[in-house]
Amino acid sequence: MASRAPGGSVADVGEFGVIDRITADRPQPEGTLLGPGDDAAVLAAPDGRVVATVDTLVQGVHFRLDWSGPEQVGRKAVAANLADVAAMGAVPTGLLLSLACPASTPTDVVDGLASGIWDAASEAGIGVVGGDTVSAEQIVVSITALGDLQGREPVRRSGAKVGNVVAVRGVLGWSAAGMEVLRRGFRSPVAMVAAHRTPRPPFTEGPVAARAGATAMVDTSDGLLADLGHVAEASRVRIDVRSDLVPVADKLRDIASALGKDALTWALTGGEDHALVACFPSEDAVPEGWQVFADVRLGAGVSVDADRWGGAGDPGWRHWR
């Protein structure tokens, strides 16, 4: 990749200079038939269908540059989108990036965002195939992710059936713990802080769950209970969580104890872990590495230990409250 002169702001290099800093000399996978440079990109779609999702990160709402570096923000933006693709049972094929920022934004920030986005994309075997740049009062990173179902049906939220078991792949509550640590002015434990700054969703497990016969799937972007609520509502069932089976890491318990918090509450209500949660016909169908923690019953909504969630606060993240 060609070197880019450090220093200056986006106003100094202009719109096309910003685009060049993001896209120039970046390798594209074979599935990108036409990358950045034209009015639109062209991607191969072997399945004949395209999975599409978009997620937006706003400075001051989803990230703070005094808590996270630009590269970490870029990685986080990609993670949120790849988790959504995975939750449909698809594999990612490409990303579109829309970047809004003030004219005074240092080019080093743009370079860091681009580096994080491209590193995360490359790890997933995809590229940034196009996008847009625009002026704004704060930094806004919006990514559209595209995916391929590889001939399978999409795993929707509405497919859960009474008698199914519910399993999770990934960590729960770690991002919430990391945010609390940062709020207190600390930078460790490193694992928790890293989980908030750059979540690592197990996106390769989405297709694994689909091949195993998952009937419904979602990622924990808003929190375990909140996202299970979407599945319960769409499927017209009740999902009962066994609190003793919810995977709560010892590290999470340790930091919760040190901060006077409850680790189980973090695991049940903390968002932005982007773990995958799926319903399966039986425990025998659950893939290796997934952990069963709930079952699907007659009724409506989500319960914990056969009762409505009785913990403090809301069951998950909500905008505009």
Side-chain angles (χ1 to χ4, degrees):
M1 184 179 70
S3 62
R4 292 164 172 78
S9 68
V10 298
D12 296 326
V13 299
E15 177 184 1
F16 294 102
V18 170
I19 293 172
D20 183 71
R21 298 181 87 92
I22 295 172
T23 62
D25 304 315
R26 302 281 190 175
Q28 293 282 352
E30 292 183 3
T32 303
L33 305 181
L34 182 63
D38 279 85
D39 289 325
V42 180
L43 274 69
D47 180 83
R49 299 167 296 175
V50 176
V51 174
T53 184
V54 62
D55 208 271
T56 301
L57 270 61
V58 179
Q59 185 178 10
V61 177
H62 301 93
F63 67 90
R64 289 172 43 170
L65 290 179
D66 58 331
W67 283 2
S68 302
E71 183 176 354
Q72 294 168 327
V73 175
R75 278 187 167 274
K76 185 172 184 176
V78 174
N81 280 274
L82 294 187
D84 285 336
V85 171
M88 300 300 291
V91 297
T93 56
L95 302 175
L96 298 167
L97 166 66
S98 178
L99 173 64
C101 64
S104 59
T105 303
T107 55
D108 290 348
V109 171
V110 173
D111 293 344
L113 287 168
S115 178
I117 290 168
W118 274 99
D119 285 350
S122 297
E123 289 171 9
I126 58 176
V128 180
V129 300
D132 189 26
T133 57
V134 65
S135 177
E137 294 183 358
Q138 57 195 359
I139 298 174
V140 179
V141 181
S142 185
I143 289 183
T144 297
L146 307 173
D148 180 41
L149 289 165
Q150 299 181 322
R152 297 180 296 271
E153 290 303 307
V155 184
R156 302 176 60 183
R157 297 177 175 182
S158 58
K161 302 290 190 299
V162 173
N164 283 180
V165 297
V166 188
V168 61
R169 189 73 157 91
V171 300
L172 295 174
W174 286 41
S175 179
M179 184 169 66
E180 185 63 28
V181 167
L182 289 167
R183 279 176 174 166
R184 304 284 184 102
F186 302 114
R187 294 296 184 268
S188 62
V190 174
M192 302 299 170
V193 173
H196 177 71
R197 287 171 168 165
T198 54
R200 302 273 183 166
F203 53 83
T204 58
E205 291 291 324
V208 171
R211 290 192 292 268
T215 58
M217 187 155 47
V218 69
D219 81 296
T220 57
S221 55
D222 296 328
L224 181 63
L225 296 186
D227 290 310
L228 284 176
H230 301 321
V231 174
E233 181 179 9
S235 299
R236 299 182 180 181
V237 295
R238 177 167 68 93
I239 297 177
D240 185 48
V241 176
R242 285 268 308 276
S243 62
D244 60 319
L245 297 182
V246 174
V248 181
D250 290 339
K251 290 181 180 179
L252 194 69
R253 295 187 190 277
D254 291 343
I255 190 61
S257 177
L259 297 179
K261 295 291 184 177
D262 179 58
L264 179 61
T265 298
W266 276 340
L268 292 175
T269 66
E272 294 192 338
D273 286 307
H274 300 293
L276 294 178
V277 178
C279 302
F280 296 93
S282 67
E283 290 201 32
D284 290 339
V286 176
E288 183 178 358
W290 290 67
Q291 186 164 341
V292 174
F293 69 94
D295 55 21
V296 181
R297 302 182 181 185
L298 287 171
V302 180
S303 56
V304 179
D305 299 331
D307 197 2
R308 292 287 181 179
W309 166 238
D314 291 315
W317 170 258
R318 291 184 293 123
H319 286 283
W320 301 300
R321 58 177 171 181

